[in-house]
């Protein structure tokens, strides 16, 4: 593209709606009279299908918000965890949330909302198993855990069948136990409706991801981060969520049609791998001085589900059985089996990284990336597995890679921000890029 091209920019109109939904989710936790669960029900929100709604809190969005909005409070929270014997190699999201519980209050000074139970985390990250431990021990409260079955090596259909069955039975056990212990009836009909809504939602989210492959990018990842958890990590009303993603898709389509850009001077596109350092999102703005836009990562585009590169060089939803026709669903077991009965390998972002290193090169092709900035987090080993080999593959296809180090996205402790910006300057200049204001001054 021409280095002199300038596109129109304007704020997203739907941003206020996203903020409203996020605030509603937080309010439902702080003021909840329903069951409050620590955990994550995965892509399908079966927590909302109980007669008495079960509000669900997941550490990632809460810990990230703490790191982003109040470094002093998140540091105080992590210290409260450290003095109880938890080391700094533990995930920063977890340390932030546990620390707030130990302190007894949240970032805004309101009392910490104690949990009533712990439900399974999906455990694609190696530290997810730890997440419910302190919530359970501190109260104490009931806790359930299941395996997120991922394996290395060639795909084995018989093994897949056994793993699917294991996950189905684990999920049924949890739902049945919650019904029995809390006297909270589960609504199978609502679960079926939730399943169908989720399929529609993933298609809308995929359309948003595909529109971001356009040049100029209609939004960058810093805008996407305002939306991508709505309906996944931050569970809100299913119909409201679906309506929101329809509006978002339509607005981004309008931006593409009218060449409204995230960065008006776009002349360089870069991708990430996993979350950004939430305390230092300043570097997105910093790179915009070079006319550089971040188009995201497999992590930030996880809302649609698994992707693949099509014959037109564009990322699309991977063709899985659950998108091909709709099975007859009559009971909760039917729905759970439909959710889990699709190829166990490869099927998700984490499996892509463990097994299919070409998935990240496909992502770079689809989103037309010129470069990649890839963190090497010291806490959360699952977030850095295969990272160096991914970098080698990207470099071999002409995508220049920059690494930086830090504790974890939710933990500021070990990140040298000044050194990071210096590295960005050297990295960009090594590719012949200069800050645009400097170029203007030279003319």
């Amino acid at each position: 593209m021409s280095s002199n091209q300038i596109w129109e920019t304007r704020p997203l109109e739907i941003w206020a709606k996203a903020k409203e939904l996020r605030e509603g989710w937080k309010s439902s936790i702080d003021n909840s009279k329903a069951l409050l669960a620590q955990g994550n029900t995965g892509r399908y929100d079966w927590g909302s299908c109980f007669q008495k709604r079960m509000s669900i809190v997941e550490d990632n969005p809460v810990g990230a918000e703490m790191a982003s909005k109040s470094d002093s409070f998140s540091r105080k929270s992590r210290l409260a965890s450290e003095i109880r014997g938890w080391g700094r190699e533990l995930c920063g999201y977890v340390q932030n949330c546990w620390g707030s519980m130990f302190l007894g209050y949240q970032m805004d000074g309101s009392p910490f909302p104690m949990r009533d139970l712990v439900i399974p985390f999906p455990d694609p990250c190696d530290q997810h198993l730890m997440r419910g431990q302190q919530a359970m021990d501190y109260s104490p409260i009931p806790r359930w855990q299941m395996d997120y079955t991922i394996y290395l090596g060639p795909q084995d259909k018989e093994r897949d069948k056994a793993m699917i069955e294991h996950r189905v039975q684990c999920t049924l056990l949890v739902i049945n136990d919650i019904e029995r212990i809390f006297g909270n009836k589960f609504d199978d009909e609502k679960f079926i409706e939730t399943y169908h809504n989720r399929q529609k939602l993933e298609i809308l989210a995929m359309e948003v991801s595909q529109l971001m492959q356009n040049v100029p990018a209609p939004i960058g990842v810093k805008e996407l981060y305002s939306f991508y958890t709505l309906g996944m990590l931050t569970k809100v009303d299913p119909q409201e969520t679906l309506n929101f993603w329809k509006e978002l898709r339509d607005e981004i389509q309008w931006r593409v049609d009218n060449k409204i850009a995230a960065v008006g001077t776009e002349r360089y596109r870069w991708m990430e791998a996993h979350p950004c350092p939430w305390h230092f999102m300043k570097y997105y703005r910093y790179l915009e001085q070079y006319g550089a836009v971040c188009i995201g990562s497999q992590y930030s585009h996880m809302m649609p589900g698994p992707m693949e590169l099509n014959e037109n060089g564009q990322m699309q939803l991977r063709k899985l059985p659950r998108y091909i026709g709709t099975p007859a669903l009559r009971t909760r077991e039917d729905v759970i089996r439909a959710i889990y009965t699709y190829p166990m390998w490869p099927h998700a972002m984490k499996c892509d990284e463990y097994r299919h290193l070409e998935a990240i090169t496909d992502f770079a092709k689809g989103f037309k990336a010129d470069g990649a900035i890839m963190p090497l987090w010291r806490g959360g080993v699952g977030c850095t597995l295969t990272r160096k080999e991914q970098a080698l593959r990207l470099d071999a296809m002409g995508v220049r890679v920059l690494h930086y180090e830090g504790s974890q996205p939710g933990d500021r402790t070990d990140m040298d921000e000044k050194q990071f910006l210096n590295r960005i300057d050297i990295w960009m200049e090594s590719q012949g890029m200069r800050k645009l204001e400097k170029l203007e001054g030279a003319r």
Side-chain angles (χ1 to χ4, degrees), residues 91-118:
C91 173
Y93 298 143
V94 177
Q95 298 274 39
N96 287 345
C97 292
W98 287 357
S100 180
M101 178 179 68
F102 295 142
L103 293 171
Y105 59 91
Q106 301 184 94
M107 186 168 51
D108 61 2
S110 61
F112 182 85
M114 299 302 292
R115 300 356 179 189
D116 297 303
L117 69 157
V118 178

PDB file of all heavy atoms in Angstrom, residues 91-118:
ATOM      1  N   CYS A  91       0.086 -17.351  37.659  1.00  0.00           N
ATOM      2  CA  CYS A  91      -0.623 -16.445  36.752  1.00  0.00           C
ATOM      3  C   CYS A  91      -1.036 -15.149  37.445  1.00  0.00           C
ATOM      4  O   CYS A  91      -1.611 -15.165  38.539  1.00  0.00           O
ATOM      5  CB  CYS A  91      -1.845 -17.176  36.223  1.00  0.00           C
ATOM      6  SG  CYS A  91      -2.957 -16.176  35.251  1.00  0.00           S
ATOM      7  N   GLY A  92      -0.765 -14.007  36.788  1.00  0.00           N
ATOM      8  CA  GLY A  92      -1.107 -12.706  37.356  1.00  0.00           C
ATOM      9  C   GLY A  92      -2.599 -12.501  37.520  1.00  0.00           C
ATOM     10  O   GLY A  92      -3.045 -11.833  38.465  1.00  0.00           O
ATOM     11  N   TYR A  93      -3.407 -13.058  36.617  1.00  0.00           N
ATOM     12  CA  TYR A  93      -4.863 -12.952  36.763  1.00  0.00           C
ATOM     13  C   TYR A  93      -5.303 -13.565  38.091  1.00  0.00           C
ATOM     14  O   TYR A  93      -6.120 -13.004  38.817  1.00  0.00           O
ATOM     15  CB  TYR A  93      -5.584 -13.698  35.635  1.00  0.00           C
ATOM     16  CG  TYR A  93      -5.327 -13.191  34.239  1.00  0.00           C
ATOM     17  CD1 TYR A  93      -5.225 -14.075  33.174  1.00  0.00           C
ATOM     18  CD2 TYR A  93      -5.225 -11.833  33.971  1.00  0.00           C
ATOM     19  CE1 TYR A  93      -5.022 -13.625  31.878  1.00  0.00           C
ATOM     20  CE2 TYR A  93      -5.013 -11.372  32.674  1.00  0.00           C
ATOM     21  CZ  TYR A  93      -4.906 -12.279  31.644  1.00  0.00           C
ATOM     22  OH  TYR A  93      -4.710 -11.819  30.365  1.00  0.00           O
ATOM     23  N   VAL A  94      -4.765 -14.750  38.371  1.00  0.00           N
ATOM     24  CA  VAL A  94      -5.122 -15.463  39.593  1.00  0.00           C
ATOM     25  C   VAL A  94      -4.668 -14.673  40.821  1.00  0.00           C
ATOM     26  O   VAL A  94      -5.427 -14.491  41.780  1.00  0.00           O
ATOM     27  CB  VAL A  94      -4.479 -16.870  39.600  1.00  0.00           C
ATOM     28  CG1 VAL A  94      -4.779 -17.596  40.897  1.00  0.00           C
ATOM     29  CG2 VAL A  94      -4.974 -17.682  38.415  1.00  0.00           C
ATOM     30  N   GLN A  95      -3.420 -14.204  40.782  1.00  0.00           N
ATOM     31  CA  GLN A  95      -2.881 -13.453  41.917  1.00  0.00           C
ATOM     32  C   GLN A  95      -3.708 -12.205  42.203  1.00  0.00           C
ATOM     33  O   GLN A  95      -3.962 -11.862  43.359  1.00  0.00           O
ATOM     34  CB  GLN A  95      -1.429 -13.040  41.616  1.00  0.00           C
ATOM     35  CG  GLN A  95      -0.461 -14.181  41.421  1.00  0.00           C
ATOM     36  CD  GLN A  95       0.121 -14.691  42.734  1.00  0.00           C
ATOM     37  OE1 GLN A  95      -0.571 -14.783  43.739  1.00  0.00           O
ATOM     38  NE2 GLN A  95       1.394 -15.017  42.725  1.00  0.00           N
ATOM     39  N   ASN A  96      -4.135 -11.509  41.141  1.00  0.00           N
ATOM     40  CA  ASN A  96      -4.949 -10.306  41.336  1.00  0.00           C
ATOM     41  C   ASN A  96      -6.269 -10.645  42.024  1.00  0.00           C
ATOM     42  O   ASN A  96      -6.686  -9.973  42.966  1.00  0.00           O
ATOM     43  CB  ASN A  96      -5.235  -9.626  39.992  1.00  0.00           C
ATOM     44  CG  ASN A  96      -4.015  -8.923  39.424  1.00  0.00           C
ATOM     45  OD1 ASN A  96      -3.030  -8.695  40.116  1.00  0.00           O
ATOM     46  ND2 ASN A  96      -4.078  -8.577  38.153  1.00  0.00           N
ATOM     47  N   CYS A  97      -6.942 -11.689  41.529  1.00  0.00           N
ATOM     48  CA  CYS A  97      -8.269 -12.035  42.065  1.00  0.00           C
ATOM     49  C   CYS A  97      -8.175 -12.619  43.472  1.00  0.00           C
ATOM     50  O   CYS A  97      -8.956 -12.249  44.358  1.00  0.00           O
ATOM     51  CB  CYS A  97      -8.971 -13.013  41.132  1.00  0.00           C
ATOM     52  SG  CYS A  97      -9.413 -12.275  39.543  1.00  0.00           S
ATOM     53  N   TRP A  98      -7.231 -13.529  43.676  1.00  0.00           N
ATOM     54  CA  TRP A  98      -7.065 -14.068  45.030  1.00  0.00           C
ATOM     55  C   TRP A  98      -6.705 -12.968  46.023  1.00  0.00           C
ATOM     56  O   TRP A  98      -7.234 -12.918  47.126  1.00  0.00           O
ATOM     57  CB  TRP A  98      -5.960 -15.122  45.035  1.00  0.00           C
ATOM     58  CG  TRP A  98      -6.344 -16.417  44.393  1.00  0.00           C
ATOM     59  CD1 TRP A  98      -7.560 -16.758  43.865  1.00  0.00           C
ATOM     60  CD2 TRP A  98      -5.501 -17.547  44.213  1.00  0.00           C
ATOM     61  NE1 TRP A  98      -7.520 -18.024  43.364  1.00  0.00           N
ATOM     62  CE2 TRP A  98      -6.274 -18.535  43.563  1.00  0.00           C
ATOM     63  CE3 TRP A  98      -4.182 -17.830  44.526  1.00  0.00           C
ATOM     64  CZ2 TRP A  98      -5.748 -19.790  43.243  1.00  0.00           C
ATOM     65  CZ3 TRP A  98      -3.663 -19.074  44.195  1.00  0.00           C
ATOM     66  CH2 TRP A  98      -4.439 -20.043  43.569  1.00  0.00           C
ATOM     67  N   GLY A  99      -5.785 -12.092  45.601  1.00  0.00           N
ATOM     68  CA  GLY A  99      -5.358 -11.024  46.503  1.00  0.00           C
ATOM     69  C   GLY A  99      -6.507 -10.125  46.909  1.00  0.00           C
ATOM     70  O   GLY A  99      -6.613  -9.716  48.073  1.00  0.00           O
ATOM     71  N   SER A 100      -7.393  -9.807  45.957  1.00  0.00           N
ATOM     72  CA  SER A 100      -8.562  -8.992  46.274  1.00  0.00           C
ATOM     73  C   SER A 100      -9.440  -9.711  47.298  1.00  0.00           C
ATOM     74  O   SER A 100      -9.986  -9.090  48.222  1.00  0.00           O
ATOM     75  CB  SER A 100      -9.360  -8.714  44.995  1.00  0.00           C
ATOM     76  OG  SER A 100     -10.486  -7.929  45.250  1.00  0.00           O
ATOM     77  N   MET A 101      -9.559 -11.023  47.164  1.00  0.00           N
ATOM     78  CA  MET A 101     -10.326 -11.812  48.128  1.00  0.00           C
ATOM     79  C   MET A 101      -9.659 -11.768  49.505  1.00  0.00           C
ATOM     80  O   MET A 101     -10.323 -11.581  50.534  1.00  0.00           O
ATOM     81  CB  MET A 101     -10.440 -13.256  47.637  1.00  0.00           C
ATOM     82  CG  MET A 101     -11.181 -14.189  48.583  1.00  0.00           C
ATOM     83  SD  MET A 101     -11.314 -15.872  47.926  1.00  0.00           S
ATOM     84  CE  MET A 101      -9.580 -16.407  47.986  1.00  0.00           C
ATOM     85  N   PHE A 102      -8.318 -11.918  49.542  1.00  0.00           N
ATOM     86  CA  PHE A 102      -7.599 -11.871  50.816  1.00  0.00           C
ATOM     87  C   PHE A 102      -7.744 -10.502  51.486  1.00  0.00           C
ATOM     88  O   PHE A 102      -7.886 -10.401  52.707  1.00  0.00           O
ATOM     89  CB  PHE A 102      -6.118 -12.183  50.611  1.00  0.00           C
ATOM     90  CG  PHE A 102      -5.838 -13.579  50.130  1.00  0.00           C
ATOM     91  CD1 PHE A 102      -4.828 -13.831  49.206  1.00  0.00           C
ATOM     92  CD2 PHE A 102      -6.579 -14.653  50.597  1.00  0.00           C
ATOM     93  CE1 PHE A 102      -4.567 -15.120  48.755  1.00  0.00           C
ATOM     94  CE2 PHE A 102      -6.324 -15.956  50.154  1.00  0.00           C
ATOM     95  CZ  PHE A 102      -5.317 -16.188  49.231  1.00  0.00           C
ATOM     96  N   LEU A 103      -7.708  -9.436  50.674  1.00  0.00           N
ATOM     97  CA  LEU A 103      -7.848  -8.083  51.212  1.00  0.00           C
ATOM     98  C   LEU A 103      -9.273  -7.816  51.691  1.00  0.00           C
ATOM     99  O   LEU A 103      -9.482  -6.995  52.581  1.00  0.00           O
ATOM    100  CB  LEU A 103      -7.472  -7.043  50.147  1.00  0.00           C
ATOM    101  CG  LEU A 103      -5.997  -7.010  49.717  1.00  0.00           C
ATOM    102  CD1 LEU A 103      -5.832  -6.090  48.503  1.00  0.00           C
ATOM    103  CD2 LEU A 103      -5.100  -6.544  50.861  1.00  0.00           C
ATOM    104  N   GLY A 104     -10.237  -8.492  51.054  1.00  0.00           N
ATOM    105  CA  GLY A 104     -11.627  -8.337  51.465  1.00  0.00           C
ATOM    106  C   GLY A 104     -12.388  -7.257  50.725  1.00  0.00           C
ATOM    107  O   GLY A 104     -13.558  -7.009  51.017  1.00  0.00           O
ATOM    108  N   TYR A 105     -11.745  -6.605  49.762  1.00  0.00           N
ATOM    109  CA  TYR A 105     -12.422  -5.549  49.018  1.00  0.00           C
ATOM    110  C   TYR A 105     -11.900  -5.506  47.589  1.00  0.00           C
ATOM    111  O   TYR A 105     -10.833  -6.038  47.285  1.00  0.00           O
ATOM    112  CB  TYR A 105     -12.262  -4.189  49.689  1.00  0.00           C
ATOM    113  CG  TYR A 105     -10.828  -3.728  49.875  1.00  0.00           C
ATOM    114  CD1 TYR A 105     -10.179  -2.952  48.915  1.00  0.00           C
ATOM    115  CD2 TYR A 105     -10.103  -4.079  51.018  1.00  0.00           C
ATOM    116  CE1 TYR A 105      -8.871  -2.528  49.079  1.00  0.00           C
ATOM    117  CE2 TYR A 105      -8.795  -3.665  51.191  1.00  0.00           C
ATOM    118  CZ  TYR A 105      -8.184  -2.895  50.232  1.00  0.00           C
ATOM    119  OH  TYR A 105      -6.881  -2.481  50.400  1.00  0.00           O
ATOM    120  N   GLN A 106     -12.683  -4.875  46.714  1.00  0.00           N
ATOM    121  CA  GLN A 106     -12.346  -4.768  45.301  1.00  0.00           C
ATOM    122  C   GLN A 106     -11.674  -3.437  44.986  1.00  0.00           C
ATOM    123  O   GLN A 106     -11.473  -2.602  45.860  1.00  0.00           O
ATOM    124  CB  GLN A 106     -13.613  -4.938  44.468  1.00  0.00           C
ATOM    125  CG  GLN A 106     -14.314  -6.267  44.698  1.00  0.00           C
ATOM    126  CD  GLN A 106     -15.505  -6.450  43.790  1.00  0.00           C
ATOM    127  OE1 GLN A 106     -15.398  -7.047  42.719  1.00  0.00           O
ATOM    128  NE2 GLN A 106     -16.668  -5.960  44.200  1.00  0.00           N
ATOM    129  N   MET A 107     -11.367  -3.258  43.713  1.00  0.00           N
ATOM    130  CA  MET A 107     -10.649  -2.076  43.247  1.00  0.00           C
ATOM    131  C   MET A 107     -11.384  -0.784  43.596  1.00  0.00           C
ATOM    132  O   MET A 107     -10.767   0.224  43.916  1.00  0.00           O
ATOM    133  CB  MET A 107     -10.459  -2.193  41.732  1.00  0.00           C
ATOM    134  CG  MET A 107      -9.617  -1.141  41.079  1.00  0.00           C
ATOM    135  SD  MET A 107      -9.194  -1.617  39.379  1.00  0.00           S
ATOM    136  CE  MET A 107     -10.790  -2.051  38.684  1.00  0.00           C
ATOM    137  N   ASP A 108     -12.728  -0.809  43.566  1.00  0.00           N
ATOM    138  CA  ASP A 108     -13.508   0.392  43.868  1.00  0.00           C
ATOM    139  C   ASP A 108     -13.821   0.547  45.349  1.00  0.00           C
ATOM    140  O   ASP A 108     -14.558   1.454  45.747  1.00  0.00           O
ATOM    141  CB  ASP A 108     -14.807   0.404  43.054  1.00  0.00           C
ATOM    142  CG  ASP A 108     -15.702  -0.800  43.375  1.00  0.00           C
ATOM    143  OD1 ASP A 108     -15.340  -1.618  44.254  1.00  0.00           O
ATOM    144  OD2 ASP A 108     -16.763  -0.931  42.734  1.00  0.00           O
ATOM    145  N   GLY A 109     -13.273  -0.346  46.179  1.00  0.00           N
ATOM    146  CA  GLY A 109     -13.492  -0.262  47.623  1.00  0.00           C
ATOM    147  C   GLY A 109     -14.683  -1.054  48.116  1.00  0.00           C
ATOM    148  O   GLY A 109     -14.878  -1.188  49.335  1.00  0.00           O
ATOM    149  N   SER A 110     -15.494  -1.585  47.203  1.00  0.00           N
ATOM    150  CA  SER A 110     -16.664  -2.370  47.617  1.00  0.00           C
ATOM    151  C   SER A 110     -16.230  -3.737  48.136  1.00  0.00           C
ATOM    152  O   SER A 110     -15.149  -4.234  47.795  1.00  0.00           O
ATOM    153  CB  SER A 110     -17.620  -2.542  46.438  1.00  0.00           C
ATOM    154  OG  SER A 110     -16.989  -3.242  45.379  1.00  0.00           O
ATOM    155  N   PRO A 111     -17.054  -4.372  49.002  1.00  0.00           N
ATOM    156  CA  PRO A 111     -16.685  -5.679  49.554  1.00  0.00           C
ATOM    157  C   PRO A 111     -16.469  -6.718  48.455  1.00  0.00           C
ATOM    158  O   PRO A 111     -17.166  -6.714  47.433  1.00  0.00           O
ATOM    159  CB  PRO A 111     -17.896  -6.051  50.419  1.00  0.00           C
ATOM    160  CG  PRO A 111     -18.573  -4.756  50.719  1.00  0.00           C
ATOM    161  CD  PRO A 111     -18.345  -3.890  49.512  1.00  0.00           C
ATOM    162  N   PHE A 112     -15.505  -7.595  48.662  1.00  0.00           N
ATOM    163  CA  PHE A 112     -15.263  -8.670  47.696  1.00  0.00           C
ATOM    164  C   PHE A 112     -16.452  -9.631  47.721  1.00  0.00           C
ATOM    165  O   PHE A 112     -16.841 -10.120  48.789  1.00  0.00           O
ATOM    166  CB  PHE A 112     -13.983  -9.415  48.053  1.00  0.00           C
ATOM    167  CG  PHE A 112     -13.635 -10.506  47.075  1.00  0.00           C
ATOM    168  CD1 PHE A 112     -12.934 -10.208  45.920  1.00  0.00           C
ATOM    169  CD2 PHE A 112     -14.041 -11.821  47.287  1.00  0.00           C
ATOM    170  CE1 PHE A 112     -12.615 -11.205  44.997  1.00  0.00           C
ATOM    171  CE2 PHE A 112     -13.730 -12.818  46.377  1.00  0.00           C
ATOM    172  CZ  PHE A 112     -13.023 -12.503  45.218  1.00  0.00           C
ATOM    173  N   PRO A 113     -17.051  -9.923  46.556  1.00  0.00           N
ATOM    174  CA  PRO A 113     -18.195 -10.847  46.517  1.00  0.00           C
ATOM    175  C   PRO A 113     -17.725 -12.298  46.657  1.00  0.00           C
ATOM    176  O   PRO A 113     -17.132 -12.860  45.735  1.00  0.00           O
ATOM    177  CB  PRO A 113     -18.815 -10.584  45.138  1.00  0.00           C
ATOM    178  CG  PRO A 113     -17.699 -10.053  44.302  1.00  0.00           C
ATOM    179  CD  PRO A 113     -16.752  -9.345  45.225  1.00  0.00           C
ATOM    180  N   MET A 114     -17.982 -12.883  47.798  1.00  0.00           N
ATOM    181  CA  MET A 114     -17.540 -14.257  48.052  1.00  0.00           C
ATOM    182  C   MET A 114     -18.320 -15.236  47.177  1.00  0.00           C
ATOM    183  O   MET A 114     -19.508 -15.069  46.931  1.00  0.00           O
ATOM    184  CB  MET A 114     -17.717 -14.610  49.525  1.00  0.00           C
ATOM    185  CG  MET A 114     -16.904 -13.725  50.468  1.00  0.00           C
ATOM    186  SD  MET A 114     -15.113 -13.758  50.151  1.00  0.00           S
ATOM    187  CE  MET A 114     -14.734 -15.438  50.624  1.00  0.00           C
ATOM    188  N   ARG A 115     -17.635 -16.259  46.718  1.00  0.00           N
ATOM    189  CA  ARG A 115     -18.235 -17.247  45.828  1.00  0.00           C
ATOM    190  C   ARG A 115     -19.007 -18.301  46.621  1.00  0.00           C
ATOM    191  O   ARG A 115     -18.704 -18.576  47.781  1.00  0.00           O
ATOM    192  CB  ARG A 115     -17.176 -17.946  44.997  1.00  0.00           C
ATOM    193  CG  ARG A 115     -16.275 -17.161  44.064  1.00  0.00           C
ATOM    194  CD  ARG A 115     -16.478 -15.720  43.877  1.00  0.00           C
ATOM    195  NE  ARG A 115     -15.484 -15.157  42.937  1.00  0.00           N
ATOM    196  CZ  ARG A 115     -15.328 -13.887  42.712  1.00  0.00           C
ATOM    197  NH1 ARG A 115     -16.073 -12.991  43.356  1.00  0.00           N
ATOM    198  NH2 ARG A 115     -14.425 -13.453  41.844  1.00  0.00           N
ATOM    199  N   ASP A 116     -20.007 -18.894  45.945  1.00  0.00           N
ATOM    200  CA  ASP A 116     -20.804 -19.961  46.552  1.00  0.00           C
ATOM    201  C   ASP A 116     -20.319 -21.346  46.146  1.00  0.00           C
ATOM    202  O   ASP A 116     -20.582 -22.329  46.836  1.00  0.00           O
ATOM    203  CB  ASP A 116     -22.274 -19.820  46.137  1.00  0.00           C
ATOM    204  CG  ASP A 116     -22.894 -18.523  46.629  1.00  0.00           C
ATOM    205  OD1 ASP A 116     -22.877 -18.284  47.846  1.00  0.00           O
ATOM    206  OD2 ASP A 116     -23.369 -17.732  45.794  1.00  0.00           O
ATOM    207  N   LEU A 117     -19.648 -21.419  45.010  1.00  0.00           N
ATOM    208  CA  LEU A 117     -19.145 -22.706  44.518  1.00  0.00           C
ATOM    209  C   LEU A 117     -18.081 -22.456  43.460  1.00  0.00           C
ATOM    210  O   LEU A 117     -17.943 -21.331  42.960  1.00  0.00           O
ATOM    211  CB  LEU A 117     -20.271 -23.556  43.920  1.00  0.00           C
ATOM    212  CG  LEU A 117     -20.913 -23.088  42.601  1.00  0.00           C
ATOM    213  CD1 LEU A 117     -21.565 -24.281  41.878  1.00  0.00           C
ATOM    214  CD2 LEU A 117     -21.979 -22.018  42.837  1.00  0.00           C
ATOM    215  N   VAL A 118     -17.322 -23.489  43.162  1.00  0.00           N
ATOM    216  CA  VAL A 118     -16.313 -23.438  42.100  1.00  0.00           C
ATOM    217  C   VAL A 118     -16.678 -24.494  41.065  1.00  0.00           C
ATOM    218  O   VAL A 118     -16.849 -25.667  41.402  1.00  0.00           O
ATOM    219  CB  VAL A 118     -14.892 -23.715  42.638  1.00  0.00           C
ATOM    220  CG1 VAL A 118     -13.883 -23.707  41.490  1.00  0.00           C
ATOM    221  CG2 VAL A 118     -14.502 -22.698  43.687  1.00  0.00           C
TER     222      VAL A 118
END
